[in-house]
Amino acid sequence: MAKKTAPLLPASSRLLVDLGERLKLARLRRRLTAKQVAERAGMSPMTLRSLEAGGSGVTMGAYLSVMQTLGLQDDLEKLAAMDPLGRQLQDARLGTPRSPKRVAPPAVAAALRTPDSRARVRVSPATQAEETATAASGRTVPDDYRGTTAADLAALLKPAGKRHGGPTRK
């Protein structure tokens, strides 16, 4: 029983028929019989006949074997060499640049490397920008400067005067 092949669109079927015809013409130009080419390609004359008719059940290896017998194997190199759609898709992906990798200034990096994980503070983008500008301007940052610490933030949260409670219930 013959293997079933996936159905092809009419345009694709026509391409196979055209290829088969071109291979048959190449065989005839070389004054080779179908039996000679089939033997040299290692296939039955029936397979060669199906190939020359553009049969979709013929393997790609069989096509290549006949092309090799006829000295046309380099033509296979041309198949799918130009891929305009693939190139457009690739260019579209390349067209959207990724955001550059941000490198923290030394003072921010030192603050993020504190040994106590509870003392780590997330530095705001504004603070990072200020420190980057300070570094770019040539001003030096004291060696003992660690950025904003958890203690600094806690001091900001505590009120300066006596804490005022809400209304009391009776």
Side-chain angles (χ1 to χ4, degrees):
M1 188 166 141
K3 293 182 184 178
K4 289 189 177 184
T5 58
L8 295 176
L9 296 173
S12 298
S13 293
R14 185 72 204 150
L15 287 173
L16 277 178
V17 169
D18 291 346
L19 175 61
E21 287 175 2
R22 286 193 300 272
L23 291 176
K24 183 176 182 177
L25 285 174
R27 175 178 62 81
L28 294 173
R29 283 187 203 110
R30 287 160 179 75
R31 297 182 188 254
L32 295 170
T33 66
K35 185 175 180 181
Q36 289 172 322
V37 172
E39 285 175 358
R40 293 177 188 177
M43 64 181 63
S44 70
M46 184 70 136
T47 303
L48 180 63
R49 196 171 309 124
S50 179
L51 181 144
E52 289 180 348
S56 62
V58 180
T59 67
M60 186 71 179
Y63 277 98
L64 180 57
S65 184
V66 169
M67 291 173 69
Q68 189 173 6
T69 301
L70 298 173
L72 299 172
Q73 68 274 7
D74 291 338
D75 287 356
L76 194 63
E77 187 87 19
K78 297 173 186 173
L79 293 178
M82 299 299 292
D83 183 13
L85 176 62
R87 297 220 183 237
Q88 286 175 352
L89 293 171
Q90 180 184 18
D91 292 346
R93 281 191 296 264
L94 293 176
T96 56
R98 289 183 174 175
S99 59
K101 189 173 182 179
R102 295 182 184 174
V103 178
V108 174
L112 295 175
R113 285 192 305 262
T114 57
D116 183 11
S117 64
R118 292 173 293 172
R120 287 187 188 160
V121 175
R122 193 154 195 98
V123 179
S124 70
T127 305
Q128 280 183 341
E130 180 182 317
E131 289 182 5
T132 304
T134 301
S137 69
R139 291 183 283 168
T140 58
V141 178
D143 290 336
D144 61 340
Y145 179 72
R146 290 184 22 194
T148 306
T149 64
D152 295 337
L153 290 175
L156 290 173
L157 294 175
K158 292 180 184 174
K162 185 177 177 182
R163 191 161 189 177
H164 184 162
T168 58
R169 295 186 187 198
K170 291 188 180 181

